[in-house]
Amino acid sequence: MRIDIITVSPELIKSPFEYSIIKRAIDKELIEVHFHDLRKYALNKYGKIDDYQFGGGAGMVLMIEPIDKCISELLTQRNYDEIIYMTPDAKTLNQQTSNILSTAENLIILTGHYKGVDQRVRDKFVTLEISIGDYVLSGGELAAAVLCDSIIRLIPGVLGDETSALTDSFQDNLLAPPVYTRPAKYDDMEVPEILLSGNFPKIEKWRHDKAVKRTENIRPDLFNLKDE
Ligand code: 6GU
């Protein structure tokens, strides 16, 4: 997979790609991530990329020309499965969307800033708009990093243990069950005996029951999402 990220602040978004699982995926050449500084596509030598909004109102809007230049250049080089725009006024990211996107060959991710981008960018180029939750961030960069992390860990070969992405919370609309490691007894707190039993069918059932219970308590809404 190749991901092209278009941003006003490349430095803000780069570091999550330099550690841990994502770094290993890049080192193993399972993914390629390219950062494009929108300012390099600016209209003038001062790096102008935004302007006041028509009709008045606080906040600057990213202009269409620099974004058009950047996206058009990428489109001459390859086809993209999706051109994604990160914005709070969009559908919320969920595991199903990440699963689908993890099968893509090429993705462009455009991150907004200030008041966002000129609507015509969305009309002309964007094929998918994603928010990461019902709260406002200062820019789309951190949201793009979240999206990339959730996608990249699903690509075959990225996680060492092939099964572990499948047992994550949300893969079956259930929260994950509790997990324990050594020591088996800490002060007066003991690991549930079943986990030490070696009876794997029973352990699986215990885990499933705990997952259901946790979901009922914390996220009952997830039970209504099954067919979405
Ligand atoms: Cl994608 N961008 C911004 N600026 N804020 C957000 C968001 C995105 N998702 C949730 N809040």
Side-chain angles (χ1 to χ4, degrees), residues 64-94:
I64 189 169
E65 289 102 323
I67 297 172
D68 187 344
K69 268 201 264 178
C70 183
I71 292 180
S72 296
E73 195 177 300
L74 289 171
L75 289 175
T76 63
Q77 291 157 20
R78 66 196 66 76
N79 291 320
Y80 284 87
D81 300 270
E82 300 281 3
I83 299 178
I84 301 167
Y85 174 50
M86 303 306 302
T87 178
D89 54 341
K91 279 206 177 147
T92 313
L93 179 65
N94 60 25

Side-chain angles (χ1 to χ4, degrees), residues 8-55:
V8 181
S9 316
E11 294 314 312
L12 177 57
I13 194 183
K14 276 182 182 166
S15 76
F17 296 87
E18 293 166 2
Y19 297 91
S20 182
I21 288 168
I22 303 189
K23 177 180 192 298
R24 233 181 310 133
I26 293 170
D27 291 346
K28 282 204 249 173
E29 297 183 4
L30 295 168
I31 53 155
E32 249 177 76
V33 185
H34 299 265
F35 300 93
H36 305 278
D37 183 350
L38 201 52
R39 239 170 258 286
K40 296 218 175 97
Y41 299 83
L43 296 185
N44 59 27
K45 62 181 182 205
Y46 305 109
K48 186 175 177 60
I49 50 170
D50 58 7
D51 211 331
Y52 297 100
Q53 46 179 319
F54 282 124

Side-chain angles (χ1 to χ4, degrees), residues 159-168 171:
L159 292 185
D161 177 356
E162 282 290 351
T163 64
S164 81
L166 292 175
T167 57
D168 284 344
Q171 275 302 2

Side-chain angles (χ1 to χ4, degrees), residues 37-192:
D37 183 350
L38 201 52
R39 239 170 258 286
K40 296 218 175 97
Y41 299 83
L43 296 185
N44 59 27
K45 62 181 182 205
Y46 305 109
K48 186 175 177 60
I49 50 170
D50 58 7
D51 211 331
Y52 297 100
Q53 46 179 319
F54 282 124
M60 304 295 273
V61 175
L62 290 174
M63 304 164 84
I64 189 169
E65 289 102 323
I67 297 172
D68 187 344
K69 268 201 264 178
C70 183
I71 292 180
S72 296
E73 195 177 300
L74 289 171
L75 289 175
T76 63
Q77 291 157 20
R78 66 196 66 76
N79 291 320
Y80 284 87
D81 300 270
E82 300 281 3
I83 299 178
I84 301 167
Y85 174 50
M86 303 306 302
T87 178
D89 54 341
K91 279 206 177 147
T92 313
L93 179 65
N94 60 25
Q95 191 64 43
Q96 190 192 354
T97 304
S98 296
N99 288 347
I100 293 167
L101 291 175
S102 74
T103 65
E105 246 351 276
N106 300 303
L107 295 173
I108 289 175
I109 302 177
L110 172 64
T111 69
H113 225 97
Y114 319 116
K115 279 283 158 194
V117 300
D118 189 303
Q119 178 60 37
R120 290 166 294 185
V121 171
R122 299 165 77 160
D123 297 341
K124 180 169 181 194
F125 294 109
V126 172
T127 61
L128 181 63
E129 301 189 333
I130 295 178
S131 160
I132 62 162
D134 294 338
Y135 42 83
V136 178
L137 303 169
S138 308
E141 287 81 8
L142 296 178
V146 167
L147 173 65
C148 287
D149 186 300
S150 77
I151 294 171
I152 290 167
R153 62 197 307 289
L154 296 169
I155 296 170
V158 169
L159 292 185
D161 177 356
E162 282 290 351
T163 64
S164 81
L166 292 175
T167 57
D168 284 344
S169 275
F170 295 111
Q171 275 302 2
D172 43 13
N173 276 335
L174 288 175
L175 302 186
V179 294
Y180 297 86
T181 187
R182 275 186 275 268
K185 187 166 165 23
Y186 183 72
D187 293 339
D188 59 347
M189 294 183 291
E190 288 181 29
V191 170

